Structure formats: structure tokens, C-alpha cells
Amino acid sequence: QVQLVESGGGLVQAGGSLRLSCTPSGSIFSINTMGWYRQAPGKERELVASITTKGGRKNYADSVKGRFTISGDRAKSTIYLQMNSAKPEDTAVYYCNAYDLYGADYWGKGTLVTVSS
């Protein structure tokens, strides 16, 4: 089992920056990939960015490429999502996700990001 705790959401003006953090606990040795998803009101949950725990391979949604950066700190077992040049359409609940070696998905409770125009 893996538990995920997110932090860093809040209100930011368009063009501003925000950093989200996610720290896993539990069976972290089994995690293969971690990432951030988001869900805006009335829309489906979508992948924002992901990073593999071995090799640090990164993947981004086209809508955030060049603006958002996902990174990891092994010493703190924490991943981050640096959000720059925020747009109102980035407003959503952001969820941390972990995918383990056994095919299980784990989710955080989510953190709300609101970008004002």
C-alpha cells in the first residue's frame, strides 16, 4: 500500500507560478511511476505530467509543455510540479498518482489550484 500527501495548491494570478509537492509513504520501494493529474469542473481527469522512479523519464501533456516541470527529490521521496506561466484553464483539482510494479494505482486526496484572470 502507498499513501500520497499533496500540498502547495492555492490561488495564483494568470502568468504566475505555483509549486505542488507530493510525498509518498508506505511501500514506496514498489513505485514505478509517479505523476500529476488534474480534473476541472465538468471535465474528465487528465494526465498533466509523470516521472519514472528509475531513470527519471518524464512525460507531459501538450497543454503544459514548456510551462510545467515535474521533478523528484530522492532524499525526500518527494515529487514536485513547478507550474509557471499559469493560465486560467489550468484551474483544477490536482491529484498526485503513484503506479507500482504490481499494476496498482494510488491517489492523493487532491489539491485545488485556481488561476485568476
Side-chain angles (χ1 to χ4, degrees):
Q1 291 289 321
V2 174
Q3 297 79 41
L4 302 170
V5 177
E6 305 120 329
S7 62
L11 176 65
V12 62
Q13 289 187 334
S17 298
L18 203 63
R19 190 177 77 160
L20 307 182
S21 302
C22 175
T23 301
S25 61
S27 301
I28 61 174
F29 66 92
S30 68
I31 297 174
N32 183 34
T33 304
M34 292 190 69
W36 292 95
Y37 286 71
R38 67 186 181 187
Q39 187 167 19
K43 295 187 177 181
E44 294 186 352
R45 191 174 296 189
E46 62 176 0
L47 173 68
V48 176
S50 65
I51 183 169
T52 57
T53 56
K54 294 182 180 180
R57 182 177 177 180
K58 302 177 183 180
N59 183 43
Y60 294 95
D62 288 342
S63 59
V64 305
K65 283 181 180 177
R67 300 189 298 119
F68 292 8
T69 302
I70 189 169
S71 62
D73 184 330
R74 286 186 178 274
K76 297 181 179 180
S77 297
T78 297
I79 66 165
Y80 303 97
L81 184 69
Q82 179 66 43
M83 304 169 59
N84 296 331
S85 302
K87 301 178 180 180
E89 50 263 45
D90 295 323
T91 295
V93 177
Y94 284 70
Y95 296 91
C96 182
N97 169 268
Y99 182 76
D100 75 12
L101 300 174
Y102 310 107
D105 264 316
Y106 300 94
W107 297 92
K109 293 182 179 180
T111 185
L112 178 63
V113 173
T114 303
V115 183
S116 63
S117 56

